[in-house]
Amino acid sequence: MSNKLPRIAAIGGIAGLITMGGLTAVAVATTGGQETVPVSGEGIHYFTTAVVHSQQEIETGMLQRSTDIIRLTGDLDGYLLYHPTSEFDFANQKLVNTGTQFFSGTIAGSEPMVLHDDTFRFDVDLATGQTTGEVHLMRSKDAPDQGQWYECHLAVTGTGMTPEGDATFTYTGHGLRRGRP
């Protein structure tokens, strides 16, 4: 970074962005030798190619299990194999997705990697389509401790639907670089 830019203090190990005179500087924080970088981008959830494995009636609506594909662009560039358990509450016009997913791609220009998340949650207002969620991509617990990888913690906001019926969204968050180079 140029000495002309102000020093940037990282709070809680989270990196930030500063814009000055049309230039954006990325603030990178380090925590115990590990680097945290801000990440953002957009994506598309391909409902039109989803495979529905099961649907079961429940007291408030329906429980559905499926396999879906999600394309991420931006700082995360790759695909998610998304296996949600979708709980539809028709009485309250709500949908909650939980389950497991695998990301395959790059993060902030990194080498390709595969990350796992079994703690995500998405909440959808079925009346308005408003969608919010959180994603926590981590290395699989049984992965060998070799090389470098990221942990990514993302907030996701739905932005609408394509004419074909697929969902669009944006994501923001941070990635913590881990491991050895």
Side-chain angles (χ1 to χ4, degrees), residues 121-155:
R121 179 184 171 107
F122 291 95
D123 293 283
V124 181
D125 183 321
L126 294 173
T128 66
Q130 180 181 12
T131 302
T132 58
E134 60 181 51
V135 171
H136 305 281
L137 296 167
M138 310 273 236
R139 194 152 161 142
S140 177
K141 291 178 181 141
D142 62 353
D145 183 19
Q146 297 176 9
Q148 214 171 55
W149 71 94
Y150 279 83
E151 286 182 15
C152 287
H153 303 279
L154 310 173

Side-chain angles (χ1 to χ4, degrees), residues 89-179:
D89 179 348
F90 297 126
N92 294 304
Q93 294 292 294
K94 302 290 181 196
L95 163 64
V96 175
N97 281 339
T98 57
T100 193
Q101 60 187 340
F102 290 90
F103 169 77
S104 176
T106 61
I107 299 168
S110 71
E111 292 293 319
M113 62 185 70
V114 175
L115 300 174
H116 174 252
D117 176 12
D118 60 2
T119 62
F120 69 84
R121 179 184 171 107
F122 291 95
D123 293 283
V124 181
D125 183 321
L126 294 173
T128 66
Q130 180 181 12
T131 302
T132 58
E134 60 181 51
V135 171
H136 305 281
L137 296 167
M138 310 273 236
R139 194 152 161 142
S140 177
K141 291 178 181 141
D142 62 353
D145 183 19
Q146 297 176 9
Q148 214 171 55
W149 71 94
Y150 279 83
E151 286 182 15
C152 287
H153 303 279
L154 310 173
V156 177
T157 304
T159 57
M161 300 291 279
T162 68
E164 298 78 23
D166 297 316
T168 58
F169 61 90
T170 60
Y171 66 86
T172 60
H174 67 277
L176 177 63
R177 190 180 335 212
R178 297 214 180 256

Side-chain angles (χ1 to χ4, degrees), residues 21-123:
L23 299 174
T24 301
V26 177
V28 177
T30 57
T31 307
Q34 298 169 341
E35 186 178 313
T36 301
V37 296
V39 294
S40 64
E42 52 192 33
I44 185 165
H45 181 162
Y46 293 102
F47 288 122
T48 55
T49 59
V51 176
V52 176
H53 301 292
S54 66
Q55 292 179 328
Q56 172 186 355
E57 284 188 36
I58 58 175
E59 187 176 321
T60 58
M62 179 178 61
L63 196 63
Q64 176 178 292
R65 290 186 174 83
S66 64
T67 299
D68 306 29
I69 301 293
I70 297 172
R71 173 73 168 110
L72 297 175
T73 57
D75 293 317
L76 278 73
D77 187 18
Y79 289 89
L80 283 163
L81 180 61
Y82 182 62
H83 186 69
T85 298
S86 303
E87 186 173 339
F88 293 87
D89 179 348
F90 297 126
N92 294 304
Q93 294 292 294
K94 302 290 181 196
L95 163 64
V96 175
N97 281 339
T98 57
T100 193
Q101 60 187 340
F102 290 90
F103 169 77
S104 176
T106 61
I107 299 168
S110 71
E111 292 293 319
M113 62 185 70
V114 175
L115 300 174
H116 174 252
D117 176 12
D118 60 2
T119 62
F120 69 84
R121 179 184 171 107
F122 291 95
D123 293 283

